[in-house]
Amino acid sequence: MKEKDGRARGEWIELFCFISSSARSLVGEPEIYGPFRLVDTLERIIDLLGRQGVLDDEFLNSEKEKIVEKKFDVMVNRESFIDFLDELVMDFTRELKKEEL
Amino acid sequence: MAGVMDIIKKRRSVRSYTGEPVAKEKIERIIEAANHAPSAGNAYTWKIAVVQDGGLIRKIQSVSPGMLGRPAAILALCNDRKKAIETMGSKGGELFRFMDVAHAAQNICLMGAELGIGSCCIMSFNQDAVGALLEIPPQYRVDYLVALGYQDRDPVAPKKRSVEEAVLSWTGG
């Protein structure tokens, strides 16, 4: 395995650790932590795809910025956080409509 | 010099850091503050694993979903479960050891605030995984994590409740 590939793999393993430990923690944690962990994961995936040069585009980067800006609303304004989730779903849905699957 | 209430109000849960390292002397001062926290039966069954290695911090973070941002240091508060039960009975193992690390963590955060160092207490982490990464001796259990670092933006500010909201009853006085 090339050194660069090894680092790339390490970063994905790091993410998989985050996802699996989140799943385990969520068994006993408040319900709202679930949506938070999922959007946090989304941000991490977009970030990793961009950093590794796999998928780096304007739409994804702007969604990542939106997540960074809004995710902590979960702690201070639950309604605003849910509105943000609604917005996120529709952002990705509009993008999906443009795709040929 | 700031009063106690000023420091208490200054302390916030920080989840975004500059990346600037925290000096060893400051971490030692923070641990000294933790040592002055109350402990059931004066037993002090906890010890602290200090992590300043960037690679290990990342690995611990990857199994600690509640740890956000990239802290400069992690203090892992680890309890000797056997000692907790031996010195304080079954309640020592089930309850007091957690209360003790919570008291210690509060002192850590307050001392950090006085030194201008941001902190965040973390419960959302996998105890087994963090223990394995830290190679903690088997009698110890990682019960609490505190992330430390210099904050790079103001944390969100949840509204704090009033004194009236906090009081369940008030007898006499």
Side-chain angles (χ1 to χ4, degrees):
Chain A
M1 189 187 288
K2 290 178 193 163
E3 191 186 333
K4 188 183 162 201
D5 292 341
R7 272 203 306 275
R9 183 178 185 275
E11 289 181 325
W12 284 102
I13 295 292
E14 186 179 22
L15 179 64
F16 299 154
C17 275
F18 175 80
I19 295 170
S20 55
S21 60
S22 292
R24 179 62 187 90
S25 292
L26 285 167
V27 171
E29 290 183 334
E31 200 175 281
I32 195 70
Y33 282 26
F36 180 79
R37 296 279 183 256
L38 281 171
V39 289
D40 200 21
T41 301
L42 187 52
E43 177 197 329
R44 287 163 192 254
I45 292 171
I46 295 171
D47 181 64
L48 192 47
L49 290 170
R51 276 192 296 112
Q52 293 192 352
V54 179
L55 196 56
D56 190 4
D57 71 52
E58 202 176 320
F59 167 73
L60 291 176
N61 288 332
S62 80
E63 291 305 296
K64 189 182 88 175
E65 289 310 310
K66 187 180 282 184
I67 295 168
V68 169
E69 187 192 330
K70 297 271 193 180
K71 68 179 180 181
F72 291 121
D73 279 4
V74 71
M75 295 170 196
V76 288
N77 188 337
R78 189 76 60 95
E79 281 180 21
S80 168
F81 179 69
I82 293 167
D83 288 345
F84 149 67
L85 295 180
D86 287 338
E87 197 181 318
L88 210 53
V89 172
M90 291 315 298
D91 286 352
F92 279 100
T93 303
R94 276 191 294 275
E95 202 65 15
L96 182 64
K97 278 182 79 176
K98 299 178 199 166
E99 297 291 332
E100 288 285 340
L101 299 178
Chain B
M1 187 180 169
V4 173
M5 187 59 104
D6 295 323
I7 297 296
I8 288 170
K9 289 185 175 178
K10 188 179 171 191
R11 185 218 60 82
R12 306 286 306 282
S13 292
V14 173
R15 298 179 176 90
S16 183
Y17 305 93
T18 62
E20 183 187 344
V22 178
K24 186 181 179 204
E25 298 72 32
K26 290 191 174 178
I27 293 178
E28 285 172 342
R29 186 96 173 113
I30 284 169
I31 294 171
E32 185 187 353
N35 277 341
H36 283 267
S39 172
N42 201 34
Y44 291 95
T45 59
W46 54 264
K47 283 183 181 281
I48 295 176
V50 181
V51 185
Q52 290 193 276
D53 175 88
L56 187 54
I57 287 173
R58 274 182 72 161
K59 288 178 182 176
I60 291 170
Q61 274 199 285
S62 73
V63 293
S64 306
M67 191 182 294
L68 301 163
R70 189 70 79 199
I74 297 171
L75 303 188
L77 280 72
C78 309
N79 257 308
D80 183 334
R81 288 175 293 174
K82 190 163 173 272
K83 186 179 175 188
I85 294 167
E86 278 173 1
T87 54
M88 295 180 291
S90 61
K91 254 191 168 177
E94 293 162 11
L95 178 63
F96 296 159
R97 75 177 224 239
F98 295 107
M99 293 179 69
D100 278 10
V101 291
H103 292 315
Q106 179 73 355
N107 277 17
I108 286 169
C109 295
L110 293 176
M111 192 68 231
E114 180 166 289
L115 296 171
I117 297 163
S119 61
C120 191
C121 295
I122 292 115
M123 283 297 292
S124 289
F125 65 94
N126 190 293
Q127 288 179 297
D128 292 333
V130 174
L133 287 168
L134 289 172
E135 299 180 354
I136 294 294
Q139 75 269 29
Y140 282 93
R141 188 87 171 142
V142 186
D143 282 335
Y144 213 11
L145 298 178
V146 185
L148 297 175
Y150 293 96
Q151 75 177 57
D152 78 344
R153 71 172 89 164
D154 287 336
V156 289
K159 187 177 174 291
K160 298 297 181 187
R161 62 185 180 168
S162 67
V163 172
E164 290 75 18
E165 287 172 300
V167 174
L168 176 63
S169 66
W170 193 316
T171 309

